[in-house]
Amino acid sequence: MGAVIMHNVMSVDGFIADEQDDVGPLHDWYFSGDTPITGGDDPEFDHSGSGSGFRVSKASAAYVRPMWDSIGVIVMGRRFFDLVNGWEGRPPVGDHVVVVSHRPKPEGWHPEASYHFVDGLSAAVDKAQHLAGDRVVSVAAGEVGGQMLAAGLIDEVAIDVVPVVFGSGKRYFGGIDGQHFLEDPHEVVQGERVLHLRYKVRR
């Protein structure tokens, strides 16, 4: 089975969004470079309003492309799903999405989309790994990601650190309790206005 990797973009003081769930400048680096992440421009996921799709520095593209290509399934919490309306049934990466939720999929919501609503952390990871096969399961950081790390369900932590201080907001690791140790980073890539880090979880 593929690795289960917790991932998100984070401010230097540990936040993935402000108190209103606004990511602010955290994603600016996705649109400030000259190298497309995907093979061609993809305006479907262009949040900059420029119509140019994802364009990052060459260093970031070399890091992000293989990571995105490796992902088979995204795992997210219900709050995140509701905020983005599940990307209208078209996840930015991977072929499937598993939503950790006590509530079922909204009635009539994109029946063609491979979205699975699962009650429970372990059950969500089991479902995601079954769907992903040998590919990576990407867990969105935040409350659900932090809970999965605390439960021993995460293999790696990937953080794209942006040089901005939020002061308060939604934490990368959510409200996780206790100490949890990571190995030294096995990948460190300096992009433009972003630092890419990957850590294996110490067992």
Side-chain angles (χ1 to χ4, degrees):
M1 290 185 180
V4 180
I5 302 178
M6 181 178 172
H7 177 245
N8 215 324
V9 182
M10 185 185 81
S11 68
V12 292
D13 56 342
F15 298 101
I16 58 175
D18 66 17
E19 298 287 0
Q20 288 72 47
D21 294 300
D22 189 345
V23 298
L26 290 181
H27 292 179
D28 287 355
W29 64 274
Y30 275 125
F31 310 102
S32 61
D34 56 9
T35 307
I37 294 176
T38 54
D41 291 336
D42 192 352
E44 176 74 21
F45 301 110
D46 177 16
H47 303 292
S48 68
S50 67
S52 61
F54 287 125
R55 286 181 174 271
V56 298
S57 67
K58 289 182 180 178
S60 286
Y63 171 83
V64 173
R65 279 176 183 160
M67 173 176 274
W68 283 15
D69 288 344
S70 71
I71 294 171
V73 179
I74 293 174
V75 176
M76 64 196 308
R78 183 59 181 257
R79 180 177 176 81
F80 186 17
F81 171 86
D82 289 340
L83 281 170
V84 299
N85 196 30
W87 303 291
E88 299 298 340
R90 298 186 62 187
V93 295
D95 301 316
H96 314 275
V97 173
V98 173
V99 181
V100 182
S101 177
H102 301 301
R103 293 176 285 141
K105 182 190 297 187
E107 187 174 352
W109 185 88
H110 295 287
E112 78 288 352
S114 183
Y115 279 56
H116 308 266
F117 288 64
V118 178
D119 187 358
L121 302 175
S122 295
V125 170
D126 288 345
K127 181 67 174 180
Q129 288 190 312
H130 173 74
L131 291 168
D134 293 331
R135 300 179 73 190
V136 165
V137 172
S138 177
V139 177
E143 289 298 335
V144 166
Q147 291 169 19
M148 287 188 173
L149 177 65
L153 299 172
I154 301 293
D155 299 313
E156 293 186 32
V157 172
I159 307 175
D160 301 320
V161 184
V162 174
V164 61
V165 176
F166 270 25
S168 65
K170 305 302 170 65
R171 296 188 176 278
Y172 181 97
F173 292 101
I176 193 170
D177 291 325
Q179 294 183 341
H180 303 272
F181 294 93
L182 310 177
E183 300 294 347
D184 289 337
H186 61 89
E187 197 160 3
V188 179
V189 177
Q190 176 65 64
E192 294 177 12
R193 303 296 297 171
V194 63
L195 177 65
H196 307 287
L197 301 169
R198 284 181 68 171
Y199 305 83
K200 293 186 183 300
V201 175
R202 182 175 294 179
R203 301 298 188 189

